[in-house]
Amino acid sequence: MCGCFWEKTTGSEGFFNDSYEVYGASWTPTFLAHFKKARGYDLENYIRELADSGNNDSTREIVARLKSDYRETMDELLLENFTQNWTKWAHNLKSLTKNQSHGSPGNLLDLYGAVDIPETEIFGSSYFPIVGLRRDSGDIRNVDPDPIMSKFASSAANTGGKTLISSETFTWLTEHFKTSFSQCKPEVEQLFLSGINHIFYHGTTNSPSNIPWHWMVILCLGRNESK
């Protein structure tokens, strides 16, 4: 995508990177060279130990050190080679970056802090002790949403002086067409209490101005306004 806009002004207010879902990705061609430069030794000599479970007393300490160094290197590559470069690239195009850093194999505070608008996400319906509030068993996911996840985004924004902290708020709240406003309200209030101040129904928030009913309506309560 970036190549399409290289050295051009886009007229776009910003670029959005959705939640990190690069499942199974644990390597990159430059990993070994970066590891040796950053950690001071050659990981190729310890590949067998890196894959070890660490349950053996004789290797536990070295395996823990290797995995710590591996994860620190992965974090640096994601932060320095992608996130910081992406934000710099966007700024050169007079645009902003918005990123959902959760799920990333790195320091979430650093990754959220490297973009202009940190964005969190609600991963399902929360339990609220509100009489009469509907919460269908079929809509309860196998995770329990925790406000602390949203505070990673707001903490990074507050320490970095960023004014907008956004949220993909209702995508996973219920099945499509089943979400009521009464279910949305307490979720939004919980986000406000977590320091979030920029609410979106779904992370993909743009609709062409000449299309009154956008295809993303399937994820929403109703009309997806472009403005």
Side-chain angles (χ1 to χ4, degrees):
M1 180 197 73
C2 293
C4 300
F5 300 110
W6 196 256
E7 296 181 349
K8 300 177 182 178
T9 55
T10 65
S12 298
E13 182 179 354
F15 293 90
F16 171 55
N17 188 51
D18 210 334
S19 50
Y20 194 93
E21 299 176 27
V22 190
Y23 302 116
S26 58
W27 203 258
T28 188
T30 61
F31 190 91
L32 286 173
H34 185 93
F35 186 99
K36 187 174 183 179
K37 180 180 179 181
R39 309 280 85 82
Y41 64 96
D42 195 340
L43 184 61
E44 284 186 289
N45 298 328
Y46 298 94
I47 294 297
R48 184 171 63 180
E49 288 83 357
L50 181 64
D52 193 283
S53 64
N55 292 326
N56 190 316
D57 289 339
S58 63
T59 60
R60 181 175 289 118
E61 185 174 345
I62 189 171
V63 169
R65 168 65 186 274
L66 283 168
K67 291 188 176 182
S68 176
D69 287 350
Y70 166 84
R71 290 164 182 161
E72 186 174 359
T73 304
M74 184 68 73
D75 169 56
E76 290 170 351
L77 287 168
L78 181 56
L79 176 65
E80 299 168 9
N81 286 18
F82 173 68
T83 311
Q84 291 176 342
N85 279 339
W86 174 51
T87 297
K88 181 179 179 181
W89 168 83
H91 288 176
N92 287 336
L93 298 176
K94 303 185 185 307
S95 297
L96 303 175
T97 52
K98 182 173 75 166
N99 189 40
Q100 294 184 0
S101 299
H102 46 269
S104 301
N107 186 317
L108 297 187
L109 292 174
D110 287 342
L111 294 168
Y112 275 127
V115 299
D116 298 299
I117 305 174
E119 178 162 299
T120 187
E121 181 177 2
I122 287 182
F123 300 99
S125 66
S126 304
Y127 168 73
F128 297 102
I130 300 174
V131 176
L133 180 65
R134 176 167 59 87
R135 191 178 187 228
D136 297 338
S137 59
D139 295 327
I140 300 175
R141 306 182 76 205
N142 60 351
V143 294
D144 190 17
D146 190 338
I148 196 67
M149 285 303 300
S150 297
K151 292 180 182 180
F152 275 101
S154 58
S155 295
N158 290 331
T159 56
K162 305 176 192 301
T163 57
L164 289 177
I165 313 103
S166 61
S167 171
E168 177 183 344
T169 308
F170 307 123
T171 308
W172 302 112
L173 191 53
T174 68
E175 188 52 79
H176 306 330
F177 297 114
K178 291 175 61 180
T179 309
S180 66
F181 286 115
S182 63
Q183 291 171 296
C184 295
K185 184 176 182 292
E187 300 284 356
V188 171
E189 291 170 337
Q190 182 164 262
L191 283 173
F192 287 156
L193 292 172
S194 299
I196 309 302
N197 61 13
H198 205 40
I199 303 298
F200 294 101
Y201 195 106
H202 185 271
T204 305
T205 52
N206 180 64
S207 298
S209 58
N210 61 337
I211 300 179
W213 292 90
H214 193 264
W215 68 270
M216 291 296 287
V217 73
I218 62 169
L219 296 172
C220 304
L221 284 162
R223 187 171 181 172
N224 181 15
E225 297 288 357
S226 59
K227 295 182 180 180

